[in-house]
């Protein structure tokens, strides 16, 4: 963006004054006597008088001072945030939950970037965002578009002034003028997300656990099926949960297993039917078709005692839950894709199961913890190319010049922010509470049929198929605690697991098309 601070002053106007002298289309401008303030009919117009005085007259005859109206050009705000403690990105009607946009909008009103006339409804300034996020989900980069007053009397550095009114976990990186038709959601053509997880999730399930027994039983009933991979890690099984976790943190992924991960992610790339990675969508619904441009599995990195792996998703159109529960949880798709990626490698599931999941048979796919999910940035390649061509006619100082939407300008600030507000929190929660291990143990305790498709057989068995309206015996239920990203310093994840209500994933409400569009990326 061109602006990360000072704005160019613009001339204030008053709508009333402008309307008083505006000619009607197709008619000559009415004559106006400036000295008498009378139109061609000779009658004194109260609005014209008010425009001269800079006042307005209320319905009961009270004369009030009229606020100056400053130009509010269409702009793009580049921002980032730590989502812990917030009910997602999108602003909600008052009195609504605390969201990122609500805090940002209030800050813009407070400094005068949004006028008091528009302070009651963000729709008046055409507020839109490039990507919605679930409650607690973080974003290193996101774009908000709106009509914004950029020349505010007494404000020399607009970005710094906005940030002064924001809590430290929400930052505006910069802003820029855009084309008048710019809408962050509609113009964004792809988005990047990263998911971080401890590599120990790839250790095969503990012998004797619920899921191990269920998968073993299914394999034994299937002629020619390969056995579940054994692991030297479980040579000793008579150990406590705490001892197991300590040993898991010292475990390191091998090159062969890392390459297996990279092979599986290739199955997600391209255009597919992702109905099994969202909530309540019919597989025949054309909106389930999405294009995944690229998925990259990074080399593992050790922080403290734990080895971490990151997976970067770059998709043209992500679906709901490709991150959660009902329309308030909008990014579970990435979390569900991560579940299949991690568990298939962990269980020795053939990567052919991915193709089966694109078929019409519906199955239950759990979500990995929200703690590991991060929106990296939305991308605007098509818009930037269009603007770049137009800008050839202008200089950067010209009024019609439009800067590109580019997060790289602020990369150092963004990386520093991620380390302090996102990565640090992620690692601290895992080190203190063992959140990912708690998720894995909750899953391993399940001995029903819903996850039998993860066996080494490589197909979806009839017992695992979900039929709409038909209740199943012993359905898998998730814990709401894994949708959270922040916990008190003295919090005990075990206690939260006991207190938190299970979620029946069949109760996830489907999104309407408008909500679904808001989640795309």
């Amino acid at each position: 963006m061109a602006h990360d601070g000072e704005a160019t002053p613009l001339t204030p106007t008053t709508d009333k004054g402008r309307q008083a002298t505006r000619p009607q289309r197709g008619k000559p401008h009415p004559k106006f006597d400036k000295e008498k303030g009378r139109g061609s009919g000779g009658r004194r117009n109260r609005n014209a008088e008010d425009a001269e005085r800079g006042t307005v007259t209320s319905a009961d005859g009270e004369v009030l001072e009229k606020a100056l109206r400053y130009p509010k050009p269409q702009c793009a705000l580049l921002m980032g945030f730590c989502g812990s403690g917030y009910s997602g990105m999108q602003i909600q009607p008052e009195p609504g939950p605390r969201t990122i946009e609500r805090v940002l909008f209030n800050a813009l009103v407070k400094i005068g970037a949004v006028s008091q006339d528009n302070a009651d409804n963000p729709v008046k300034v055409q507020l839109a965002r490039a990507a919605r996020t679930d409650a607690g989900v973080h974003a290193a980069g996101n774009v908000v578009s709106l009509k914004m007053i950029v020349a505010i009397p007494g404000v020399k550095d607009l970005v710094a002034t906005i940030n002064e009114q924001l809590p430290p976990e929400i930052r505006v990186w910069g802003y820029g003028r855009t084309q008048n038709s710019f809408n962050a959601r509609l113009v964004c053509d792809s988005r990047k997300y990263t998911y971080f997880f401890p590599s120990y999730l790839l250790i095969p399930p503990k012998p004797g656990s619920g899921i191990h027994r269920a998968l073993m039983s299914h394999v034994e009933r299937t002629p020619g099926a390969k056995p579940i991979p054994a692991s030297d890690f479980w040579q000793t099984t008579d150990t406590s949960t705490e001892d197991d976790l300590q040993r898991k943190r010292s475990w390191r992924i091998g090159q062969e297993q890392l390459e297996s991960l990279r092979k599986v992610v290739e199955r997600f790339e391209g255009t597919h039917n992702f109905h099994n990675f969202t909530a309540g969508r019919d597989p025949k619904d054309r909106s389930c078709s999405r294009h995944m441009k690229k998925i990259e599995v990074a080399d593992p990195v050790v922080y403290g005692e734990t080895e971490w792996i990151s997976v970067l998703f770059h998709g043209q159109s992500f679906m709901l839950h490709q991150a959660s529960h009902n329309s308030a949880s909008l990014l579970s798709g990435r979390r569900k894709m991560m579940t299949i990626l991690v568990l298939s490698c962990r269980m020795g599931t053939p990567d052919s199961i991915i193709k089966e999941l694109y078929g019409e048979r519906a199955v239950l796919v759990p979500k990995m913890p929200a703690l590991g999910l991060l929106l990296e940035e939305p991308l605007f390649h098509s818009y930037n190319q269009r603007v770049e061509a137009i800008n050839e006619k202008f200089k950067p100082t010209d009024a019609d010049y439009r800067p590109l939407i580019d997060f790289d300008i602020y990369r150092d600030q963004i990386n520093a922010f991620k380390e302090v507000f996102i990565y640090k929190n992620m690692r601290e929660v895992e080190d203190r509470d063992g959140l990912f291990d708690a998720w894995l143990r909750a899953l391993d305790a399940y001995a029903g049929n819903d996850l039998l498709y993860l066996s080494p057989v490589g197909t979806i068995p009839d017992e695992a198929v979900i039929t709409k309206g038909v209740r199943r015996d012993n359905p898998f239920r998730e814990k709401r605690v894994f949708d959270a990203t922040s916990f008190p310093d003295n919090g005990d994840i075990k206690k939260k697991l006991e207190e938190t209500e299970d979620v029946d994933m069949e109760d996830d409400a489907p999104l309407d098309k408008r909500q679904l569009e808001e989640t795309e990326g």
Side-chain angles (χ1 to χ4, degrees), residues 68 138 259 262 371 379 453:
L68 293 175
H138 317 303
E259 292 305 317
R262 289 170 173 158
L371 181 67
L379 293 101
Y453 61 88

Side-chain angles (χ1 to χ4, degrees), residues 321-457:
H321 293 350
Q322 268 181 296
S324 170
H325 184 73
N326 68 40
S327 60
S329 9
L330 303 169
L331 300 174
S332 302
R334 257 72 80 213
R335 290 165 60 189
K336 290 192 172 192
M337 292 173 72
M338 282 301 307
T339 297
I340 296 300
L341 172 62
V342 169
L343 295 187
S344 64
C345 291
R346 179 184 188 236
M347 309 289 196
T349 312
D351 59 9
S352 59
I353 194 63
I354 309 296
K355 184 177 181 180
E356 292 236 351
L357 292 175
Y358 298 145
E360 292 191 2
R361 306 180 93 192
V363 299
L364 181 145
V365 180
K367 305 183 300 292
M368 282 185 69
L371 181 67
L373 185 62
L374 168 67
L375 168 62
E376 291 286 357
E377 63 183 85
L379 293 101
F380 297 82
H381 291 306
S382 300
Y383 173 81
N384 283 346
Q385 288 177 355
R386 185 167 65 251
V387 166
E388 210 165 20
I390 296 173
N391 283 344
E392 292 179 359
K393 307 174 186 177
F394 306 108
K395 298 177 182 179
T397 54
D398 291 342
D400 290 327
Y401 182 89
R402 295 293 179 265
L404 306 185
I405 298 177
D406 184 9
F407 282 95
D408 285 341
I409 301 172
Y410 315 103
R411 191 60 61 193
D412 290 343
Q413 298 175 57
I414 292 173
N415 288 340
F417 177 84
K418 287 198 293 186
E419 183 59 37
V420 173
F421 287 95
I422 298 173
Y423 297 153
K424 184 180 178 183
N425 172 67
M426 189 183 302
R427 296 194 291 261
E428 284 182 350
V429 170
E430 168 59 22
D431 289 345
R432 186 186 67 234
D433 300 324
L435 181 76
F436 285 93
D437 183 57
W439 174 81
L440 195 64
R441 287 187 288 105
L443 186 142
D444 282 357
Y446 178 68
N449 295 329
D450 284 354
L451 304 179
L452 291 182
Y453 61 88
L454 291 168
S455 77
V457 175

Side-chain angles (χ1 to χ4, degrees), residues 38-77:
R38 301 177 187 272
S40 58
R43 293 186 178 181
R44 188 75 170 166
N45 183 296
R46 189 176 69 179
N47 286 339
E49 294 173 347
D50 287 345
E52 290 178 353
R53 295 196 305 262
T55 60
V56 292
T57 305
S58 65
D60 58 3
E62 183 181 2
V63 177
L64 305 172
E65 287 192 12
K66 182 163 49 179
L68 293 175
R69 303 270 180 112
Y70 290 90
K72 47 182 189 296
Q74 188 74 8
C75 294
L77 274 177

Side-chain angles (χ1 to χ4, degrees), residues 78 112 186 217 297 382-383 393-394 480 487 509:
L78 279 68
L186 299 178
S217 176
V297 179
S382 300
Y383 173 81
K393 307 174 186 177
F394 306 108
R480 292 187 188 276
F487 304 91

